[in-house]
Amino acid sequence: MNTRQPLSTAAESMASLSPSDPADDPLYVASLEKGMRVLEAFRDANDSLGLTDIATQTGLGKSAAQRFVHTWERLGYLVKDPASRRYRLGPRVVELGYFFLRSDRLVSMAAPHLVALRDRCGLAVHMSVLADCDMVYLLRLPSRQMTLAEMLPGRRMPAWCNSAGRILLAQRDDAAVRQALLRAPPRAFTPRTVVEPEALMALIRQARDDGYALTEDQVLQNQVGAAVLLRDAQSLPLAAISVSAPRHDYPVDRLLRDIVPQLFRTAQAIQGT
């Protein structure tokens, strides 16, 4: 008898991030949402933010922003530089991410298989989930050539621009994909980034038909990617596993021949765990 628990924790938690109208939810705490806006203001910050920056980015009044910032600082989620009076994220933010990664069953079950895949192919390996119009990296196992930003889990990227995001979007119907592209209009990262909505729709449909997605020079020049889907016991989509590689070493035909079959085998191994 199969007593395995469903590998759905990460996927369900990220799916819950889809937007809804707070006015329809009597349990929704608007003040908590405003407080979270303060932390999320640091998502695109290269270093630190001043109080005026935070108020501007969050749409909060300066007095309200000050109260939220002070509270987060007291709790350890923000750190204030006494000289510049500017703020940066504190170590407790990383601690929350650790608690999630340590306790999520999908992450713990997938990690050994992804490490084995990275060791076999010598390339960067990732696991990602969909969060509304974006994808979020849950695990990133770097190659030697990757930068620090490319090694860190938790990074959020537009789903349409990379192989993992496209195979995840391919699990939605065309109407939902079009809506996602309208809510987050594509922008070019490189001269070869596909941004025209109908061209993206065609690529996502192709990923749906093929069962895998390939990308070339979409986010970084000279980088290719391949991704397949992880499913649960009921064949529902859980996450994407993907590999990124330098294009000069892995032209698309080699990526398809050497890497995609390994991705499928790894996905099957994780699903059978």
Side-chain angles (χ1 to χ4, degrees):
M1 182 174 64
N2 187 353
T3 59
R4 286 187 294 125
Q5 296 297 313
L7 299 178
S8 56
T9 310
E12 288 177 352
S13 64
M14 300 311 296
S16 68
L17 297 178
S18 298
S20 59
D21 186 355
D24 297 334
D25 189 348
L27 298 179
Y28 191 87
V29 182
S31 59
L32 179 58
E33 182 271 333
K34 291 176 182 177
M36 291 305 300
R37 266 194 256 164
V38 170
L39 292 185
E40 291 174 351
F42 289 84
R43 179 181 294 160
D44 298 319
N46 292 326
D47 185 11
S48 60
L49 293 175
L51 184 59
T52 300
D53 300 325
I54 294 169
T56 301
Q57 291 192 32
T58 60
L60 298 170
K62 196 166 184 178
S63 176
Q66 185 177 36
R67 291 195 299 273
F68 285 121
V69 165
H70 176 74
T71 303
W72 286 128
E73 183 189 5
R74 289 289 301 271
L75 293 172
Y77 292 95
L78 291 180
V79 175
K80 184 178 181 179
D81 185 311
S84 67
R85 302 181 66 81
R86 293 173 68 84
Y87 297 86
R88 58 183 175 82
L89 293 175
R92 289 203 70 182
V93 175
V94 180
E95 190 179 10
L96 282 180
Y98 166 74
F99 292 153
F100 167 74
L101 293 173
R102 179 192 64 185
S103 61
D104 186 80
R105 186 168 184 269
L106 175 58
V107 170
S108 64
M109 298 299 287
H113 298 281
L114 298 181
V115 170
L117 173 61
R118 194 272 307 272
D119 291 346
R120 283 197 304 272
C121 67
L123 300 172
V125 175
H126 323 278
M127 185 169 73
S128 318
V129 292
L130 204 58
D132 190 27
C133 304
D134 297 333
M135 48 142 292
V136 174
Y137 291 104
L138 296 185
L139 287 176
R140 307 190 83 179
L141 305 176
S143 65
R144 293 180 180 177
Q145 293 79 23
M146 293 183 76
T147 64
L148 176 63
E150 293 177 281
M151 297 179 187
L152 301 176
R155 187 182 185 187
R156 189 177 182 121
M157 292 285 294
W160 53 266
C161 68
N162 57 70
S163 59
R166 288 182 187 174
I167 197 64
L168 289 166
L169 284 176
Q171 309 314 304
R172 296 180 172 181
D173 61 31
D174 282 2
V177 175
R178 289 183 190 279
Q179 188 61 36
L181 294 177
L182 284 174
R183 287 203 305 271
R187 64 180 180 87
F189 293 93
T190 78
R192 298 190 63 187
T193 305
V194 179
V195 297
E196 204 281 319
E198 287 308 313
L200 284 171
M201 289 296 304
L203 290 168
I204 291 167
R205 288 193 198 101
Q206 182 177 350
R208 187 184 297 143
D209 292 341
D210 294 340
Y212 61 85
L214 301 177
T215 54
E216 187 175 7
D217 297 337
Q218 293 300 286
V219 178
L220 295 173
Q221 290 273 47
N222 194 41
Q223 187 180 81
V224 295
V228 303
L229 200 68
L230 273 178
R231 297 182 182 274
D232 66 12
Q234 288 74 44
S235 293
L236 296 175
L238 287 175
I241 58 171
S242 59
V243 164
S244 56
R247 176 165 47 84
H248 59 263
D249 290 334
Y250 280 84
V252 171
D253 58 345
R254 184 184 179 193
L255 197 69
L256 183 58
R257 181 184 69 248
D258 294 349
I259 301 302
V260 170
Q262 293 193 62
L263 283 169
F264 276 120
R265 287 194 293 270
T266 300
Q268 291 168 358
I270 296 169
Q271 290 160 189
T273 301

